[in-house]
Amino acid sequence: MCGICGKINFNLEDNVDPFLIRSMVEIMHHRGPDAKGYLFMSGRSNLSPLVLSKINKDILSTWPADNYSIGLGHCRLSIIDISSGHQPMSNENKTIWIVFNGEIYNYRILRRELIQAGHTFRTNSDTEVILHGYEEYGLKFVDRLSGMFAVAIWDNNLKRLVLARDRFGEKPIYYKITDSYFIFASELKAILKESRIKKEIDPDALYDFFTLQFIPDPHSIVSGIFKLPPGYIGVIENKKIQLSPYWKIGFGNHAGKKDRIPIKTLDNLLTQAVSSMLESEVPLGAFLSGGIDSSIIVAMMSKVYRQKIKTFSIGFKEESYNELIHAREVAKYFNTDHHEFIVDYNIQAILPKIVFYLDEPFADSSAIPTYYLSKLAREYVTVAITGDGSDELLAGYRRYSAKKLLKIIKFIPDTLLKTLDFLLPQKDCYYGKSKAKSIKMLIEYNRSQKIGYVSWQPLFTPEFILELILEAEGKNRGETLNLKSYFEECKSLDPISQMLFVDQKTFLPGDILTKVDRMSMANSLETRIPFLSPPFAEFINSLPLDLKLKGFHKNKFILKKFAAKYLPDEIIKRKKQGFAVPIGTWLKNELKDYTKDILLSKKSKERGIFNDEKIYNLIFEHQNSFNDHGARIWSLGKWGIHTNMPA
């Protein structure tokens, strides 16, 4: 796992500043602490490429007079071919160069094919497989890759830069293009090292954040800086970028008999996915929450991994948020080398650090336990296998069940629903678990669907945003542009499959995979996700809906049937808990004063973005237990910390 970056000056007489590339690499040091590499090339002449392992004053004092208009940088977390897989890496005649972040799980198969096609390999790395694959197949090389990746290839023969991102968006690429240059990096903060970039908020990204709690592709929080969407390839030449999808999420019907549950196929595909992700020259382990997803991954590992599995879990002092007992049961069942950690920390001190690693406003509070879980695992291993991605493939969230229930609710008269809504508890209930609160959420969801909302329980409705954000009049943000276009793209599917499609396009890369990538990389830990192996994911998407959501409440139906082969009943049947944290309690106690200092600070007021009175009322009502505004304040607080941090 690594960090990549680079810059191309379109005017071939303009020199790329070597210290800019160095600073971009240095600020991503956490992504690759083991080695650093740099490439400087001239797009104008036949000047030999300059490859460096470091840049210092001595090198700058002897900097060649000829102009290097192309610069690439790389920081490496060494996993495979530790001794010789250094980057930037070139082909034999040094005309094509690559920087790469990720892992290619089928690289050995591709290597054999390319050797048969006449290519000569100098390393045993998966990086060189991509490089020769590009030479052999051109832009079609990406179709053959199975893995997680962010790739940048400079082709000096064709004078073009090629970017590619994996199918689901496990690895990130940010970029900016102007009339004079193109710049890219694994992290937004690296691009902002370019001093000419204005740090202006993208208003669309601002509204997307408060609608969705994350910023979906292709926007970033900084105006003019974009993310390459998952499953896309970008070609930069002639001062333009051409974006094209090389893979699309497909839904269809399983070819087998409808009355037969294809357990054996699922077993084979998941076993193959896990097996392909166990190759490593450094210690390897697994995250284990005790839920069905991480537990079944550990079960698959126990089938094929020859060593004792190291597993990692964290818990909280608050029992209602603690899953450790379930994780211990699974660890004991599979006889793993189990490690756990109780999160007992100064939350106020850790939040700015987490915001730094996230780069953009991001409201998913589970980033905190993910950070600490990664920190724990990194003490023992360099690679961790995770159970992420299952919910978005197999309808694991309650919003999918709620969507089905709307078929019943739509026959209930509005007057009766309004009466029931009035009689139920009036507190905000975003994280409530009682049946009464669940019913209230369902009623609100029904209402929101009728007027165009797309999320299960929007914390900030368009009406709320109009009150909260200054100068918001005239902004119609009931649905973001991306969501509307994605729903239009899959309109032929049933309503639940539409939700799955849109979640895989937005929530999965924008929330889940962003959280996992940033928090694991903050601790220099590589994570691998078997549920997102393309053959497995494509198979699941091909299945009929009732194998994912049976009836109104049997979520992940086929996975639970399959898990019965490997897991105890109590693990399969326990209710989904999620990676929640006690934010409501923190905001009343540990973060009580900090919340006011951040959201009502002089700097926040000077920005003139929010209605201060509205924010004050939210804080007052929550801290005095009049209403549960925990999730709203948390979202605003993460935004506030982000905008109050030094530029």
Side-chain angles (χ1 to χ4, degrees):
M1 203 63 65
C2 310
I4 63 173
C5 63
K7 184 182 179 185
I8 301 171
N9 285 328
F10 295 137
N11 181 350
L12 301 183
E13 301 299 323
D14 287 347
N15 208 5
V16 169
D17 182 359
F19 279 121
L20 167 64
I21 304 300
R22 185 184 75 166
S23 65
M24 293 174 73
V25 169
E26 288 294 336
I27 203 168
M28 298 189 295
H29 174 80
H30 50 278
R31 298 189 74 93
D34 296 332
K36 293 178 175 62
Y38 305 89
L39 166 74
F40 297 94
M41 288 194 69
S42 171
R44 176 181 55 81
S45 68
N46 294 321
L47 186 69
S48 297
L50 182 60
V51 185
L52 306 169
S53 59
K54 61 180 180 179
I55 300 176
N56 54 40
K57 290 183 179 179
D58 292 335
I59 291 176
L60 187 64
S61 66
T62 59
W63 197 250
D66 291 279
N67 293 310
Y68 289 104
S69 53
I70 296 102
L72 300 179
H74 184 266
C75 53
R76 185 185 187 199
L77 180 63
S78 302
I79 305 292
I80 294 174
D81 193 12
I82 293 174
S83 62
S84 62
H86 304 299
Q87 300 180 45
M89 185 181 291
S90 74
N91 63 345
E92 295 90 335
N93 59 11
K94 301 186 184 304
T95 58
I96 300 174
W97 292 81
I98 184 173
V99 285
F100 157 58
N101 169 29
E103 298 289 349
I104 306 302
Y105 303 127
N106 64 336
Y107 83 97
R108 290 191 182 278
I109 297 172
L110 297 177
R111 179 188 172 93
R112 288 194 293 269
E113 292 178 359
L114 290 164
I115 289 173
Q116 290 176 359
H119 292 268
T120 301
F121 282 76
R122 293 169 292 165
T123 75
N124 293 311
S125 69
D126 52 350
T127 306
E128 194 174 5
V129 167
I130 303 173
L131 190 61
H132 289 304
Y134 172 77
E135 284 188 293
E136 182 70 21
Y137 307 115
L139 297 180
K140 295 292 184 181
F141 79 97
V142 72
D143 296 331
R144 296 172 176 264
L145 303 181
S146 179
M148 53 178 178
F149 52 86
V151 177
I153 297 173
W154 172 251
D155 187 333
N156 209 42
N157 297 316
L158 298 177
K159 308 299 181 188
R160 71 181 184 186
L161 180 73
V162 177
L163 301 180
R165 190 177 178 197
D166 63 71
R167 291 161 178 80
F168 286 103
E170 293 182 61
K171 296 292 106 185
I173 304 182
Y174 289 84
Y175 71 88
K176 180 178 179 65
I177 187 168
T178 72
D179 291 338
S180 57
Y181 66 86
F182 180 88
I183 190 169
F184 71 92
S186 297
E187 296 187 355
L188 178 63
K189 67 175 75 69
I191 291 184
L192 293 178
K193 285 294 182 179
E194 169 55 71
S195 59
R196 288 180 288 178
I197 295 177
K198 293 182 179 180
K199 300 174 184 177
E200 297 177 342
I201 292 173
D202 183 330
D204 287 329
L206 172 67
Y207 282 95
D208 280 348
F209 171 69
F210 284 110
T211 302
L212 302 172
Q213 310 302 287
F214 62 90
I215 299 173
D217 305 319
H219 293 287
S220 80
I221 191 58
V222 179
S223 182
I225 298 179
F226 300 94
K227 303 167 202 162
L228 184 68
Y232 267 69
I233 193 166
V235 178
I236 300 89
E237 57 185 342
N238 300 321
K239 300 183 180 183
K240 295 180 180 180
I241 182 170
Q242 179 68 43
L243 300 178
S244 305
Y246 67 86
W247 180 83
K248 293 184 178 181
I249 295 170
F251 281 75
N253 291 320
H254 179 57
K257 294 182 179 179
K258 291 186 177 181
D259 60 346
R260 181 178 298 173
I261 303 175
I263 297 294
K264 186 175 181 180
T265 303
L266 188 151
D267 194 339
N268 290 338
L269 288 172
L270 192 55
T271 301
Q272 290 169 15
V274 171
S275 297
S276 71
M277 297 183 190
L278 295 180
E279 180 161 351
S280 173
E281 294 178 20
V282 293
L284 179 148
F287 290 171
L288 178 60
S289 69
I292 187 172
D293 299 334
S294 62
S295 298
I296 199 63
I297 294 301
V298 170
M300 296 295 97
M301 289 177 69
S302 70
K303 285 176 57 179
V304 294
Y305 196 46
R306 295 180 181 179
Q307 303 176 38
K308 190 165 187 175
I309 303 168
K310 289 181 171 64
T311 53
F312 306 96
S313 306
I314 63 167
F316 297 89
K317 292 184 295 183
E318 295 84 352
E319 280 302 316
S320 60
Y321 293 88
N322 204 337
E323 292 187 279
L324 282 180
I325 187 172
H326 307 294
R328 289 171 193 156
E329 290 173 0
V330 177
K332 183 178 180 180
Y333 191 80
F334 291 105
N335 190 32
T336 72
D337 179 11
H338 189 58
H339 305 268
E340 58 186 42
F341 176 69
I342 298 291
V343 177
D344 182 12
Y345 49 83
N346 184 348
I347 182 65
Q348 181 174 327
I350 196 64
L351 280 178
K353 181 183 287 190
I354 287 177
V355 167
F356 170 81
Y357 289 121
L358 285 167
D359 276 348
E360 301 185 78
F362 183 84
D364 189 340
S365 59
S366 65
I368 293 174
T370 304
Y371 174 85
Y372 274 93
L373 181 59
S374 299
K375 185 178 177 65
L376 170 66
R378 189 61 176 91
E379 294 177 12
Y380 301 90
V381 301
T382 310
V383 177
I385 312 296
T386 87
D388 294 290
S390 169
D391 290 315
E392 294 78 18
L393 292 174
L394 288 151
Y397 299 120
R398 60 181 174 177
R399 59 177 173 262
Y400 303 118
S401 297
K403 187 71 173 180
K404 264 197 172 184
L405 285 169
L406 292 186
K407 292 181 179 180
I408 297 175
I409 287 184
K410 71 179 182 180
F411 294 109
I412 301 176
D414 284 344
T415 52
L416 182 57
L417 288 176
K418 289 179 181 178
T419 302
L420 182 58
D421 189 24
F422 177 78
L423 294 175
L424 288 169
Q426 295 305 300
K427 286 187 176 184
D428 287 347
C429 49
Y430 304 108
Y431 289 94
K433 296 181 180 179
S434 70
K435 290 184 179 179
K437 287 186 175 182
S438 295
I439 294 171
K440 185 175 177 68
M441 289 180 72
L442 189 60
I443 293 171
E444 292 180 3
Y445 186 42
N446 178 60
R447 184 187 303 121
S448 71
Q449 294 293 294
K450 288 184 177 180
I451 58 177
Y453 298 174
V454 293
S455 50
W456 155 234
Q457 177 64 18
L459 297 181
F460 299 95
T461 64
E463 295 82 5
F464 197 103
I465 291 175
L466 284 172
E467 297 176 9
L468 177 68
I469 301 179
L470 301 176
E471 300 181 0
E473 290 80 2
K475 296 281 187 178
N476 178 18
R477 307 299 301 182
E479 297 176 351
T480 69
L481 178 63
N482 283 353
L483 290 180
K484 291 173 71 174
S485 65
Y486 290 145
F487 273 107
E488 182 66 22
E489 188 177 340
C490 63
K491 62 183 179 181
S492 63
L493 301 175
D494 63 85
I496 309 299
S497 295
Q498 288 180 19
M499 292 177 69
L500 289 166
F501 178 91
V502 174
D503 273 347
Q504 289 176 32
K505 295 283 282 187
T506 58
F507 182 71
L508 180 60
D511 187 302
I512 301 301
L513 299 180
T514 295
K515 170 188 67 181
V516 173
D517 173 78
R518 306 308 192 274
M519 295 300 94
S520 61
M521 285 283 89
N523 291 284
S524 304
L525 178 78
E526 175 175 303
T527 50
R528 301 176 180 177
I529 306 177
F531 285 122
L532 297 184
S533 167
F536 178 82
E538 289 169 353
F539 169 72
I540 294 298
N541 278 344
S542 76
L543 295 175
L545 178 61
D546 65 354
L547 289 182
K548 305 166 193 176
L549 177 58
K550 192 80 168 178
F552 290 104
H553 66 282
K554 293 182 180 179
N555 304 77
K556 297 196 253 194
F557 178 74
I558 188 173
L559 186 67
K560 291 177 180 177
K561 287 287 186 183
F562 159 68
K565 292 177 59 178
Y566 299 101
L567 299 177
D569 245 17
E570 55 267 26
I571 296 298
I572 297 170
K573 293 181 179 179
R574 63 175 286 243
K575 289 184 178 180
K576 180 179 178 63
Q577 186 165 338
F579 223 0
V581 296
I583 58 174
T585 302
W586 288 344
L587 292 170
K588 291 181 181 180
N589 298 292
E590 293 93 333
L591 298 177
K592 182 176 182 179
D593 295 331
Y594 186 60
T595 301
K596 294 177 182 177
D597 291 342
I598 288 294
L599 290 179
L600 300 174
S601 69
K602 181 181 178 181
K603 190 171 183 179
S604 291
K605 292 179 180 180
E606 287 175 349
R607 289 183 181 274
I609 297 174
F610 300 117
N611 181 332
D612 293 334
E613 183 179 353
K614 187 71 173 177
I615 292 178
Y616 176 85
N617 289 337
L618 287 175
I619 296 172
F620 178 82
E621 289 182 7
H622 181 81
Q623 294 187 344
N624 289 278
S625 300
F626 296 138
N627 268 313
D628 178 9
H629 293 306
R632 284 174 171 166
I633 296 171
W634 181 261
S635 300
L636 286 162
K638 293 298 283 294
W639 172 273
I641 298 169
H642 179 86
T643 53
N644 276 281
M645 289 180 69

